[in-house]
Amino acid sequence: MDFLSNFLIDFVKQLQSPTLSFLIGGMVIAALGSELQIPESICKIIVFMLLTKIGLTGGMAIRNSNLTEMVLPVLFSVTIGIVIVFIARYTLAKLPKVKTVDAIATGGLFGAVSGSTMAAALTVLDEQSMNYEAWAGALYPFMDIPALVTAIVIANIYLKKKHSAADEYLGKQAVAAGDYPSTRQEYLSQKQSADNRVKIWPIVEESLRGPALSAMLLGLALGLFTQPESVYKSFYDPAFRGLLSILMLVMGMEAWSRIGELRKVAQWYVVYSIIAPLLHGFIAFGLGMIAHYATNFSMGGVVVLSVIAASSSDISGPPTLRAGIPSANPSAYIGASTAIGTPIAIGVAIPLFLGLAQAIGGS
């Protein structure tokens, strides 16, 4: 009962906090038909500054920390990103009216990380005075990239097998009709098509070039190899929460606009978008607790790991998946993520895992 009461108290506090209140405010004014628009260029600058700040924090922390302490959380981050994709492949993809390739893309987006959700979690931890490793934000790419790579590889393998089966059937029909390759070039072209494999490095490269990860990794590198403390304290740190509140407002308006897209696809995406963030978060929480007892990974770090697992990419993931799985329906995976997944991650997952950590840690 103490945990439930603490969770309800934290949930109400979250509703009143700038992070969630601006998100809800954005949804409300969008529902009322407001024509308020914040230029996309401004949003890009805000995202860049937020993720650069998180990267700087992580880089400076890694520079002054024991790298062996990061091994287990990093390993668990990679594992979670991959596992989430397989969960979608063998649960969501099996539901009625859900296309397998769309389910895999959705799993990839939910396995990838939302920089804004992570920023919101770090802000809440600071407000609650819960200690966490400053490098915890640097777990972002170790979950994000494996999830996107796994989704694209699995989707392409699935599509290749599907096309191979169709080609084999047509080939047998052609052979039965006596229709063989007429030239060596035609034969080699067919053989090359059959031997075509999914190349992983271009997918990784595409992810690394994405705006979110680029900003994050830039900040990480600057924090590691330079001395950015003065500009960090005078500019990035003070501006962080104000910029985050604006981004939450934008995300709220976008979330409401995406709800209509879910009507175009199977309603199972709504169920998945509600359950999946919490399921992924609980898996990460369990693995985080193993790291906590094995390497003294802080309870705040466990919360960060759980929240980034509960989040779904809203910046770098969609364009990467559009390029890597062009046959997938963006209305399915982006609508599920933005309209429902992100509000669940911010509004429910953050107070849930924070309350759970406080109950276990006794704080």
Side-chain angles (χ1 to χ4, degrees):
M1 291 299 293
D2 289 338
F3 167 71
L4 181 60
S5 61
N6 288 335
F7 169 72
L8 291 175
I9 292 172
D10 288 334
F11 182 73
V12 172
K13 287 181 180 179
Q14 275 291 92
L15 291 174
Q16 298 173 335
S17 70
T19 303
L20 190 57
S21 60
F22 273 78
L23 181 77
I24 295 173
M27 297 182 74
V28 170
I29 62 173
L32 295 175
S34 171
E35 296 182 358
L36 173 64
Q37 290 185 344
I38 296 178
E40 186 178 354
S41 57
I42 294 179
C43 294
K44 289 181 178 179
I45 293 173
I46 291 174
V47 169
F48 169 79
M49 292 179 64
L50 291 176
L51 293 180
T52 301
K53 188 265 183 184
I54 293 172
L56 287 170
T57 304
M60 291 185 293
I62 293 172
R63 191 207 315 154
N64 300 315
S65 65
N66 183 359
L67 294 181
T68 58
E69 297 176 353
M70 295 184 61
V71 172
L72 206 54
V74 165
L75 179 62
F76 286 156
S77 297
V78 174
T79 302
I80 293 165
I82 295 172
V83 167
I84 287 173
V85 180
F86 279 98
I87 290 175
R89 172 65 180 88
Y90 293 104
T91 57
L92 179 62
K94 303 298 182 181
L95 297 174
K97 298 182 180 179
V98 175
K99 295 181 179 179
T100 300
V101 70
D102 293 345
I104 295 172
T106 304
L109 202 62
F110 275 75
V113 178
S114 165
S116 54
T117 302
M118 181 176 67
L122 297 178
T123 301
V124 172
L125 287 172
D126 289 336
E127 291 173 350
Q128 295 288 323
S129 300
M130 176 172 272
N131 294 326
Y132 61 92
E133 289 78 4
W135 49 259
L139 296 174
Y140 181 127
F142 295 104
M143 190 181 299
D144 189 88
I145 294 177
L148 294 174
V149 170
T150 302
I152 294 172
V153 169
I154 291 177
N156 281 277
I157 290 174
Y158 167 78
L159 291 171
K160 182 182 176 183
K161 287 182 178 180
K162 187 177 179 181
H163 293 155
S164 296
D167 291 342
E168 183 179 355
Y169 174 74
L170 293 175
K172 288 179 179 179
Q173 284 189 324
V175 170
D179 187 12
Y180 296 94
S182 58
T183 64
R184 175 176 172 78
Q185 184 177 4
E186 184 179 346
Y187 168 76
L188 292 175
S189 177
Q190 290 178 1
K191 185 177 180 181
Q192 183 179 7
S193 177
D195 292 339
N196 187 34
R197 297 179 181 178
V198 179
K199 296 179 180 179
I200 294 178
W201 175 245
I203 304 170
V204 177
E205 192 176 15
E206 183 73 23
S207 298
L208 291 172
R209 285 204 304 254
L213 269 180
S214 295
M216 176 82 176
L217 295 175
L218 172 63
L220 196 64
L222 291 172
L224 269 172
F225 303 114
T226 67
Q227 302 288 331
E229 282 79 2
S230 59
V231 69
Y232 176 87
K233 292 179 181 178
S234 62
F235 179 66
Y236 283 97
D237 195 35
F240 184 78
R241 295 188 183 186
L243 293 173
L244 179 62
S245 66
I246 297 174
L247 184 61
M248 289 295 104
L249 180 66
V250 174
M251 289 181 65
M253 291 188 290
E254 185 175 354
W256 183 263
S257 67
R258 293 285 185 183
I259 288 178
E261 294 188 6
L262 286 180
R263 299 173 185 171
K264 303 175 185 178
V265 296
Q267 299 303 314
W268 284 111
Y269 285 99
V270 176
V271 178
Y272 174 86
S273 302
I274 294 172
I275 296 175
L278 302 180
L279 173 62
H280 303 159
F282 275 115
I283 293 172
F285 194 92
L287 293 176
M289 289 304 299
I290 294 175
H292 172 69
Y293 290 117
T295 64
N296 290 322
F297 188 46
S298 70
M299 292 303 297
V302 174
V303 175
V304 174
L305 183 64
S306 303
V307 171
I308 64 175
S311 72
S312 50
S313 179
D314 47 9
I315 301 169
S316 61
T320 301
L321 290 174
R322 281 178 187 270
I325 318 177
S327 58
N329 182 3
S331 294
Y333 59 86
I334 297 178
S337 168
T338 307
I340 300 177
T342 294
I344 290 292
I346 295 175
V348 179
I350 292 178
L352 173 62
F353 295 116
L354 175 63
L356 188 59
Q358 289 175 331
I360 295 173
S363 59

